[in-house]
């Protein structure tokens, strides 16, 4: 029997990887958590929804005769990566991770590094207008601060009611530098809050902050479990298309 790959997705890279593997006629299924109502789906087989923890994922890996688990989830999706590592171990199959490089500050940047969302909220200057780009799931944390004005951007609207003073922008990356500069200017943004997601699609907001000399509260990544990790789709393609190795 040939190789069968499971990609844990939720990122543009996961989608691109699935398309590449599928284009070679390889047997690949992509799994999404089901957080977005209208996800962009990759080519090939897909499944949507949680597995039910480590045990559920290990059961799925065995039942579907998966031979290589590819964790291509977002750098801030911590639980699924922990579950994947343990489930691959239990099922006795290989696991690799596709994880893009974190962004790095350069001359002119005013990045204030924090370790958590709560620290980011705490670090905001009083009465600031804050451009928040952390997705829609965790926006409630910013309601702790009734002195700030929030301009939040996400692909889909949050399921909570936001304060009247907030502005919610629904938009899908990529964004140009001109677009980001106009946004900072139009909304009179004082400070940007972002997770260190890395990648090119949402990088221009950081260039806009540099250009306009605006500070950035950068939520740093926490370490993920120690598995073989590759930064590019080409590297993962080499691993996936190489002869199978014993676990
Ligand atoms: P998480 O906290 O690591 O995972 C929570 C639970 O969601 C997991 O235990 C699992 O449920 C389920 N899950 C997560 N990813 C899954 C996948 N690819 N396929 C099937 N089930 C999955 O994840 P999160 O931070 O909520 O992120 C959810 C998804 O959104 C991830 O796939 C991630 O790639 C994507 N995403 C996250 C962020 C972010 O900032 N966190 C940003 C962009 C995209 P069970 O335990 O029931 O299996």
């Amino acid at each position: 029997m040939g190789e069968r790959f499971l990609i844990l997705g939720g990122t543009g890279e996961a989608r691109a990887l699935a398309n590449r593997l599928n284009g070679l006629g390889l047997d690949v299924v992509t799994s999404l958590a089901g957080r977005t109502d209208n996800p962009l789906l990759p080519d090939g087989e897909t499944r949507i929804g949680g597995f039910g923890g480590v045990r559920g994922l290990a059961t799925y890996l065995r039942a579907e005769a998966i031979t290589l688990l590819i964790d291509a989830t977002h750098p801030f999706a911590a639980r699924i990566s922990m579950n994947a590592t343990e489930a691959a171990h239990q099922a006795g199959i290989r696991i690799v991770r596709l994880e893009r490089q974190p962004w790095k500050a350069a001359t002119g940047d005013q990045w204030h590094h924090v370790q958590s969302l709560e620290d980011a909220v705490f670090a905001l200057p009083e009465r600031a207008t804050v451009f928040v780009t952390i997705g829609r799931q965790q926006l409630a944390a910013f309601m702790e601060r009734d002195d700030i004005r929030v301009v939040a951007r996400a692909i889909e609207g949050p399921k909570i009611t936001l304060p009247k003073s907030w502005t919610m922008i629904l938009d899908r990356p990529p964004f140009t530098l001109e677009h980001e500069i106009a946004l900072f200017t139009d909304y009179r943004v004082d400070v940007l809050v972002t997770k260190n997601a890395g990648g090119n699609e949402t990088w221009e907001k950081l260039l806009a902050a540099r250009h306009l000399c605006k500070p950035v509260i950068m939520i740093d990544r926490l370490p993920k479990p120690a598995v073989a990790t590759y930064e590019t789709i080409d590297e993962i393609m080499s691993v996936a298309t190489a002869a199978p190795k014993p676990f």
Side-chain angles (χ1 to χ4, degrees):
M1 229 168 50
E3 290 252 51
R4 178 159 162 80
F5 308 115
L6 174 63
I7 299 176
L8 298 173
T11 58
E13 288 90 343
R15 210 165 46 244
L17 175 63
N19 291 346
R20 291 265 304 266
L21 290 169
N22 196 64
L24 293 179
L26 296 169
D27 189 5
V28 53
V29 51
T30 299
S31 175
L32 299 175
R35 295 286 190 275
T36 46
D37 297 331
N38 293 304
L40 295 176
L41 293 175
D43 300 338
E45 195 178 331
T46 54
R47 65 163 300 289
I48 297 183
F51 295 94
V54 173
R55 189 182 294 186
L57 179 52
T59 303
Y60 179 92
L61 295 174
R62 288 197 196 95
E64 290 289 322
I66 302 294
T67 54
L68 179 66
L69 178 55
I70 303 172
D71 177 6
T73 57
H74 191 270
F76 280 81
R79 180 173 299 279
I80 187 66
S81 293
M82 278 195 308
N83 289 358
T85 308
E86 180 55 30
H89 181 71
Q90 287 186 13
I93 64 163
R94 287 187 300 150
I95 176 170
V96 292
R97 181 176 308 122
L98 172 59
E99 188 171 301
R100 54 202 181 206
Q101 280 259 354
W103 293 315
K104 292 187 179 68
T107 309
D109 288 327
Q110 303 170 50
W111 291 11
H112 304 280
H113 294 271
V114 294
Q115 302 304 310
S116 69
L117 186 61
E118 291 69 29
D119 289 350
V121 173
F122 186 74
L124 290 169
E126 276 182 33
R127 292 186 290 281
T129 296
V130 186
F131 180 28
V132 177
T133 61
I134 56 152
R136 66 171 174 170
Q137 307 280 349
Q138 297 167 301
L139 286 174
F142 290 84
M143 291 187 197
E144 295 292 315
R145 292 284 304 268
D146 53 16
D147 62 308
I148 60 171
R149 197 169 74 86
V150 171
V151 179
R153 183 170 65 196
I155 293 174
E156 291 177 345
K159 302 217 188 295
I160 55 170
T161 306
L162 300 177
K164 284 203 169 53
S165 64
W166 287 31
T167 303
M168 186 75 219
I169 300 171
L170 303 184
D171 211 348
R172 197 185 276 276
F175 306 107
T176 64
L177 177 59
E178 293 69 29
H179 178 278
E180 300 298 59
I181 288 176
L183 190 151
F184 271 74
T185 311
D186 292 350
Y187 290 100
R188 299 185 186 173
V189 170
D190 296 312
V191 54
L192 166 69
V193 178
T194 182
K195 294 174 180 171
N196 196 333
N200 298 327
E201 280 206 329
T202 58
W203 163 245
E204 306 291 334
K205 64 190 172 189
L206 290 157
L207 287 185
R210 183 188 300 167
H211 181 81
L212 297 167
C213 301
K214 299 292 181 187
V216 176
I217 309 283
M218 181 62 72
I219 305 172
D220 288 331
R221 296 179 184 184
L222 295 174
K224 286 214 174 189
V227 302
T229 300
Y230 302 89
E231 289 172 7
T232 65
I233 292 171
D234 283 344
E235 287 171 295
I236 293 279
M237 288 296 294
S238 307
V239 174
T241 53
K245 294 191 193 76
F247 174 63

